């Protein structure tokens, strides 16, 4: 998973809702409550599963990633950690390429470290952390900038009632498709996101489970030391020269 990005509204919150439906169910009210509730979330811990599938003429790509995410806002800085087991397969004609491994992304408040171990090949990159928040205070407002947004009938995800938001790109480009996001009514957390291809087929489905909001998280979880012998590509330097030599066979 890349920088947990959560900045596209994958992690957002809305106020607790009563059983009755009324004016508060209008999209404008939902947007306002989401923005207000987001300010209350300063840390989270949850499991995440993402499934991707893209099939076109002569090409197929499928993948699955399972792991967990932790993040904290402290002293105006975001700290995060995401670990996952990943596997994917691409087919083009008679050719097939399979990949399997693990991914780790750590933001220590100053740098973002990303380590992957795919098919036994390890690599690490280092880049500067930005001021972009992990939680966007007004995710629906952000969606409006480039999408037409509407409120769909509520649904249930893993037994929990959810408000459902649909975002359709204003620019109907060749690869543009709609996205549907599910906000759990009990605490407003985003528990599911589905992205669709232009022909309406699901391309990516993300589910969050075992959610803990505002837990205390050990600061050591956001520290990273590159493993000995693994090459580090330092993207904070203009030349992006490796910081250490790879282990000799």
């Amino acid at each position: 998973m890349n920088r947990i990005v959560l900045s596209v509204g994958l992690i957002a919150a809305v106020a607790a809702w009563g059983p009755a439906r009324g004016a508060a169910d209008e999209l404008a009210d939902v947007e306002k409550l989401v923005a207000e509730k987001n300010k209350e979330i300063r840390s989270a811990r949850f499991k995440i599963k993402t499934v991707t599938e893209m099939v076109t003429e002569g090409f197929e790509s499928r993948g699955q990633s399972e792991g967990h995410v932790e993040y904290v806002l402290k002293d105006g800085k975001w700290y995060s950690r995401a670990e996952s087991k990943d596997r994917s397969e691409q087919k083009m004609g008679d050719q097939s390429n399979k990949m399997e491994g693990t991914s780790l992304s750590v933001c220590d408040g100053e740098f973002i470290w990303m380590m992957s171990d795919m098919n036994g090949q390890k690599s690490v990159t280092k880049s500067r952390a930005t001021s972009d928040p992990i939680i966007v205070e007004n995710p629906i407002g952000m969606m409006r900038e480039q999408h037409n947004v509407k409120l769909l009938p509520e649904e249930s995800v893993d037994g929990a009632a959810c408000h459902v938001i649909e975002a359709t790109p204003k620019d109907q480009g060749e690869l543009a498709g709609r996205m549907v996001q599910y906000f759990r009514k009990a605490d407003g957390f985003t528990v599911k996101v589905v992205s669709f291809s232009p022909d309406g087929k699901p391309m990516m489905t993300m589910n969050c489970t075992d959610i803990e909001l505002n837990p205390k998280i050990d600061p050591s979880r956001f520290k990273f030391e590159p493993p000995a012998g693994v090459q580090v590509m330092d993207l904070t330097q203009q030349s992006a020269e490796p910081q250490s030599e790879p282990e000799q066979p």
Side-chain angles (χ1 to χ4, degrees), residues 3 78 107-112 126-132 236:
R3 193 182 173 266
W78 286 102
C107 179
D108 61 13
E110 184 177 3
F111 300 108
I112 299 171
K126 176 186 177 183
S127 59
R128 293 197 180 279
T130 69
S131 59
D132 295 337
T236 67

Side-chain angles (χ1 to χ4, degrees), residues 36-60:
E36 291 176 349
K37 198 63 177 178
N38 278 341
K39 296 177 183 178
E40 300 176 8
I41 300 180
R42 289 299 176 263
S43 67
R45 180 190 291 123
F46 55 94
K47 293 181 180 179
I48 187 168
K49 179 178 180 179
T50 303
V51 177
T52 59
E53 181 175 28
M54 184 172 65
V55 180
T56 61
E57 185 175 354
F59 177 77
E60 298 180 18

Side-chain angles (χ1 to χ4, degrees), residues 2-214:
N2 210 343
R3 193 182 173 266
I4 328 310
V5 42
L6 307 180
S7 63
V8 293
L10 298 184
I11 304 304
V14 351
W17 298 78
R21 297 182 63 87
D25 290 311
E26 296 299 324
L27 179 59
D29 296 305
V30 172
E31 179 178 341
K32 180 181 178 181
L33 291 170
V34 167
E36 291 176 349
K37 198 63 177 178
N38 278 341
K39 296 177 183 178
E40 300 176 8
I41 300 180
R42 289 299 176 263
S43 67
R45 180 190 291 123
F46 55 94
K47 293 181 180 179
I48 187 168
K49 179 178 180 179
T50 303
V51 177
T52 59
E53 181 175 28
M54 184 172 65
V55 180
T56 61
E57 185 175 354
F59 177 77
E60 298 180 18
S61 177
R62 295 179 175 84
Q64 181 171 302
S65 175
E66 293 186 73
H68 59 271
V69 177
E70 300 166 276
Y71 62 81
V72 170
L73 174 63
K74 183 179 180 181
D75 300 328
K77 292 184 178 181
W78 286 102
Y79 300 80
S80 64
R81 182 185 185 93
E83 300 179 66
S84 64
K85 292 183 179 180
D86 316 301
R87 64 176 184 270
S88 63
E89 181 178 8
Q90 289 80 39
K91 293 182 179 180
M92 182 176 293
D94 295 331
Q95 302 296 318
S96 178
N97 180 36
K98 294 184 179 180
M99 299 190 72
E100 187 170 347
T102 60
S103 298
L104 170 65
S105 174
V106 176
C107 179
D108 61 13
E110 184 177 3
F111 300 108
I112 299 171
W113 301 87
M114 298 188 67
M115 182 172 70
S116 67
D117 184 350
M118 301 303 293
N119 292 350
Q121 297 295 316
K122 294 183 179 180
S123 65
V124 175
T125 61
K126 176 186 177 183
S127 59
R128 293 197 180 279
T130 69
S131 59
D132 295 337
I134 289 177
I135 297 177
V136 177
E137 287 192 358
N138 187 358
I140 298 176
M142 185 185 70
M143 292 178 192
R144 288 183 185 278
E145 295 178 8
Q146 298 182 10
H147 297 78
N148 295 314
V149 182
K150 70 177 181 179
L151 185 66
L152 300 181
E154 67 178 59
E155 296 184 31
S156 178
V157 176
D158 294 331
C162 297
H163 288 282
V164 186
I165 300 293
E166 180 185 70
T168 303
K170 295 177 181 178
D171 181 8
Q172 294 293 330
E174 197 172 302
L175 299 178
R178 66 189 179 97
M179 179 182 71
V180 179
Q181 187 166 342
Y182 299 74
F183 299 90
R184 192 166 60 181
K185 294 179 70 175
D187 51 29
F189 200 80
T190 298
V191 293
K192 182 178 180 180
V193 178
V194 183
S195 295
F196 297 85
S197 63
D199 60 3
K201 296 179 180 178
M203 292 180 61
M204 185 280 292
T205 301
M206 185 202 76
N207 288 87
C208 297
T209 59
D210 297 349
I211 300 163
E212 298 178 61
L213 297 182
N214 294 320

